[in-house]
Amino acid sequence: MAREQIAQLRVLNVDFYPRETHLITFRDPWSFPTLFHPACNQLVRKHMDELAQKIVSICVSLGEYPTIRYHSPRNPTHEASVLCSHLARFIQLELDQYAKFHDDFPPPSPRPRGALIITDRSMDLFAPLLHEFTYQAMIHDLLPLVEGDKVYYKTALNQNEASGSIKDFEIGEKDSIWVKNRHLHMKDLLEKLAAEFQAFKAKNPQFAESDNPSSLNNIKDMLAGLPQFQEGKEAFSLHLNMASDAMNTFQKRRLADIASVEQSLATGLDEDYKKPKNLADQVVRLLDDNDITFPDRLRLIMQYLLYRDGLLPSDTQKLLAHAQLPAQDSEVINNLDLLGAHVSRALRDTRPLAQPPFGRKQAPQTPGEEESGLSRFDPAVKPMLEELIRGTLDQSIFPFTKPHLDAAEGLLGQDNVSQASLRSAKPTWARTRPSALEPRQRIIVFMAGGATYSESRACYEVSQSLNKDIFLATSHMLSPSLYLRQVGDLSVDKRRLDLPAERPKPQAPAHLFEREPQPAPQPHAKKSIGNSQSPRPPVASIGAMNFTSSHANMNGPSNGAINGHHLPPTPAAVTPLVPPSNNKLSKKDKEKDPEKKKKHHFFGSKK
């Protein structure tokens, strides 16, 4: 009956969590230790299967059957260097299997064929360590946000009110102020928030101070606009408070001085885009500063080690001594080796300094491109996407999973005109800028091991500047504090990590599998004489007996025969049905047959 009422049955591929319009996570922070912890090798294959299925679900939801490329680092030294290649092949197999059994995939679309790039955390080790001063990345680094299914920040709308007005405010896609401003640099954000708040007040003049606030018309106007005004006022108050709190922390922790050195370490260039000088002295000076927090000191040492492509073990210990860091922090530094970094080097090691995978950033060519001296660093994702779209991405570093089929399409470049008839195609000079109405190509970037908010910002920026739809997918979002903790956990006992893959599988309660106890055997009740199934006494045989005057004859033959019939011998182990007797009737039999009773006593009635 129910089957007849079902019109259609479809499987939804929603094994992921859209955090933003172009940011997707799996809410799986255990992916990082599973992929990079040395003791988790037996868990990697199963975990890659799960990741592949989730990534395929994203492609199916978008209606994309993309070409797949993966990061293959040059001269790898760490065991996890093959992670991207294996994961890419798992995804390719899952996609091919899905397309094989679903004739409607991929659906017809005027969009150019999409691209999927598989990379991992080892491609860019600087991004999780640097202090980022765009709004979203900065508050996740400096403020005590409550992160779970949603992001909350605890604050008071009015600093002059009592502490009882403090409550948690959600930060999400429903907040238009957040969506428009989350990728702005903090110095630009403060100016824009102030200007927008003044414009908001100008649009609601009924709430401004007036000469006659108690007039009936003013009260009516205020009541009519109260809900919208209150909602907008709370939103502006929230973001002004968060920006103010972040800037206070910025000044208290002397992050301007730290960031200046960090940018030189990450880019390999100073503010004038020249080779930096005396970086070691600047690092030591900051490590000795009491205003610098211990986590910031550790991040600074790790960045200096990455910049030098390894340090002498004695030099590392000296830096730790200057920073006054505990001994266990040295484990965090040494664990960078598991992510592909060179932690140590020999005294006479002539190995040149490591170069960024996409080259050094060039100085801005025009005054309009001038940028802040504290934000010169770009995550590796940004030049990777730019080269991919231009069609110049190196195939030796980012090979295809199917080079014989997809390489030619990739080399054509993403901006080239799709193949069409020469007569119908527009001339190239008429297509200098793609139309906004044309469907944009989709590019999916998967970052295994967690992604940073600076990388998310870079995807949005490239998407806007080069007219593409770029989606960043990852297992979880990384803040600098979470990244330090997870890198440190790579050397602890695996049992302390509490990995979900090694937890006991949930089981139903044991009582659901218990069999019902068998009923206890009932004691056999004494069977009544009137029961047809029970043995009956030989009443007929006894009635046919002949009585003689001899007392012996009344007792019957000595061998137990009755009227010439011999009874079968009774086994010794079996109780006879009729107990042996001297052929006298029982009391019940006597009461049952009164005529026989009189007959038995006939001869003794008279003497």
Side-chain angles (χ1 to χ4, degrees):
M1 185 65 179
R3 182 178 300 177
E4 298 176 356
Q5 298 178 356
I6 298 176
Q8 187 180 17
L9 179 63
R10 297 187 63 184
V11 177
L12 297 180
N13 296 274
V14 289
D15 196 12
F16 53 88
Y17 299 91
R19 181 157 182 166
E20 298 175 4
T21 56
H22 288 68
L23 177 61
I24 303 166
T25 69
F26 300 152
R27 295 181 184 175
D28 185 13
W30 295 276
S31 179
F32 184 88
T34 303
L35 295 175
F36 294 106
H37 197 290
C40 294
N41 290 338
Q42 73 278 9
L43 304 176
V44 172
R45 181 178 181 83
K46 180 182 177 182
H47 184 62
M48 282 192 176
D49 278 329
E50 296 172 353
L51 289 178
Q53 294 172 8
K54 293 178 180 180
I55 296 171
V56 169
S57 68
I58 296 175
C59 297
V60 173
S61 298
L62 294 174
E64 292 289 346
Y65 195 173
T67 60
I68 302 178
R69 303 177 72 169
Y70 58 91
H71 179 230
S72 178
R74 293 193 184 101
N75 305 320
T77 58
H78 58 299
E79 187 177 2
S81 60
V82 296
L83 186 156
C84 294
S85 62
H86 289 320
L87 181 57
R89 289 181 172 85
F90 279 34
I91 297 170
Q92 187 70 70
L93 180 61
E94 288 285 340
L95 266 177
D96 293 343
Q97 287 292 106
Y98 186 89
K100 179 180 179 180
F101 294 103
H102 295 80
D103 296 334
D104 58 344
F105 178 81
S109 173
R111 294 178 182 270
R113 187 180 182 185
L116 173 62
I117 306 296
I118 306 299
T119 183
D120 69 306
R121 188 66 271 157
S122 65
M123 186 181 77
D124 189 354
L125 298 179
F126 274 105
L129 296 173
L130 261 73
H131 287 88
E132 173 85 7
F133 297 125
T134 53
Y135 185 30
Q136 184 181 35
M138 189 172 181
I139 65 170
H140 279 87
D141 184 8
L142 304 182
L143 299 185
L145 299 180
V146 180
E147 297 193 46
D149 295 346
K150 299 179 180 179
V151 181
Y152 295 93
Y153 182 63
K154 187 186 295 292
T155 186
L157 294 180
N158 191 343
Q159 300 294 339
N160 297 326
E161 295 180 2
S163 58
S165 63
I166 295 178
K167 62 178 183 179
D168 291 332
F169 290 90
E170 180 183 349
I171 306 172
E173 295 297 292
K174 297 179 181 179
D175 188 345
S176 60
I177 300 177
W178 168 255
V179 173
K180 290 188 300 182
N181 301 310
R182 61 188 168 198
H183 298 141
L184 287 181
H185 195 277
M186 187 59 71
K187 65 180 180 61
D188 301 325
L189 173 73
L190 296 174
E191 299 175 359
K192 187 175 180 182
L193 282 180
E196 289 183 351
F197 185 64
Q198 294 299 326
F200 173 74
K201 290 174 62 177
K203 291 181 180 179
N204 297 272
Q206 66 272 25
F207 294 96
E209 296 181 1
S210 62
D211 297 335
N212 188 11
S214 60
S215 67
L216 185 59
N217 292 333
N218 286 343
I219 293 176
K220 288 182 179 179
D221 293 340
M222 291 175 67
L223 291 177
L226 184 59
Q228 295 83 355
F229 180 82
Q230 188 66 24
E231 181 180 351
K233 179 183 176 183
E234 288 185 358
F236 275 108
S237 299
L238 169 64
H239 293 289
L240 288 171
N241 289 348
M242 285 199 301
S244 177
D245 294 344
M247 289 305 299
N248 291 337
T249 305
F250 174 84
Q251 296 173 0
K252 182 179 179 181
R253 291 167 53 174
R254 296 189 57 185
L255 295 184
D257 297 334
I258 296 177
S260 178
V261 177
E262 286 181 342
Q263 293 294 316
S264 298
L265 295 174
T267 61
L269 303 170
D270 59 12
E271 295 184 2
D272 298 325
Y273 290 89
K274 298 179 180 179
K275 184 177 179 180
K277 300 179 181 179
N278 303 322
L279 278 180
D281 295 338
Q282 298 179 47
V283 169
V284 171
R285 192 179 304 113
L286 289 172
L287 295 179
D288 291 335
D289 194 331
N290 293 329
D291 292 334
I292 308 300
T293 62
F294 291 109
D296 288 341
R297 299 180 191 184
L298 179 59
R299 290 163 67 175
L300 197 58
I301 294 176
M302 295 172 72
Q303 292 175 67
Y304 183 68
L305 181 143
L306 294 174
Y307 167 73
R308 294 298 305 271
D309 199 26
L311 294 172
L312 295 174
S314 59
D315 291 343
T316 303
Q317 294 301 320
K318 291 177 182 179
L319 292 175
L320 290 172
H322 276 283
Q324 301 178 10
L325 294 174
Q328 57 266 27
D329 283 344
S330 62
E331 291 295 325
V332 181
I333 298 175
N334 294 330
N335 289 344
L336 287 175
D337 180 68
L338 299 173
L339 299 177
H342 295 106
V343 176
S344 61
R345 60 190 305 159
L347 180 61
R348 296 184 179 180
D349 193 347
T350 58
R351 183 176 72 241
L353 298 181
Q355 299 295 321
F358 302 99
R360 300 289 183 188
K361 185 176 180 179
Q362 300 299 321
Q365 300 297 325
T366 61
E369 297 179 1
E370 186 176 355
E371 56 190 355
S372 171
L374 303 182
S375 300
R376 304 191 308 274
F377 172 78
D378 284 331
V381 168
K382 187 172 183 178
M384 178 197 74
L385 288 171
E386 292 173 344
E387 292 189 13
L388 172 69
I389 295 172
R390 290 195 299 264
T392 59
L393 190 61
D394 191 347
Q395 286 196 63
S396 64
I397 304 178
F398 287 89
F400 290 87
T401 54
K402 293 183 176 180
H404 57 290
L405 297 177
D406 300 334
E409 183 177 352
L411 289 176
L412 288 176
Q414 306 297 328
D415 285 338
N416 290 348
V417 184
S418 59
Q419 293 182 358
S421 172
L422 295 177
R423 296 179 181 179
S424 61
K426 292 183 179 180
T428 56
W429 54 263
R431 307 183 80 254
T432 55
R433 290 187 178 181
S435 172
L437 299 178
E438 292 181 3
R440 305 200 299 182
Q441 183 192 27
R442 289 178 174 143
I443 301 174
I444 305 170
V445 179
F446 179 75
M447 180 72 71
T452 66
Y453 291 98
S454 61
E455 291 165 336
S456 173
R457 171 186 57 81
C459 291
Y460 278 100
E461 291 175 350
V462 176
S463 178
Q464 183 177 3
S465 62
L466 298 180
N467 197 34
K468 303 291 180 181
D469 277 339
I470 301 177
F471 297 85
L472 176 63
T474 185
S475 57
H476 62 296
M477 296 305 294
L478 284 172
S479 64
S481 58
L482 176 59
Y483 179 68
L484 292 178
R485 185 166 70 250
Q486 290 197 318
V487 174
D489 287 342
L490 295 180
S491 58
V492 303
D493 191 337
K494 184 181 65 171
R495 292 171 295 183
R496 292 175 53 189
L497 300 178
D498 190 28
L499 298 175
E502 294 195 331
R503 294 174 186 168
K505 294 184 178 180
Q507 297 181 353
H511 68 270
L512 296 179
F513 303 97
E514 294 179 355
R515 295 183 177 180
E516 295 185 1
Q518 297 293 335
Q522 298 293 334
H524 296 286
K526 295 182 179 179
K527 298 181 180 180
S528 59
I529 297 176
N531 190 354
S532 61
Q533 300 298 329
S534 60
R536 297 180 178 180
V539 177
S541 300
I542 295 176
M545 293 175 63
N546 294 326
F547 295 93
T548 61
S549 60
S550 175
H551 185 270
N553 290 338
M554 290 185 64
N555 294 336
S558 59
N559 60 355
I562 301 177
N563 285 344
H565 297 283
H566 294 277
L567 298 175
T570 303
V574 180
T575 304
L577 295 177
V578 181
S581 63
N582 54 0
N583 291 337
K584 293 182 180 181
L585 295 176
S586 63
K587 183 177 180 180
K588 292 182 179 180
D589 294 336
K590 292 177 181 179
E591 294 175 356
K592 187 174 181 181
D593 198 347
E595 295 182 0
K596 290 183 179 182
K597 181 179 179 181
K598 294 180 180 181
K599 184 177 180 180
H600 290 169
H601 295 281
F602 178 76
F603 296 102
S605 59
K606 292 183 180 179
K607 292 183 180 180

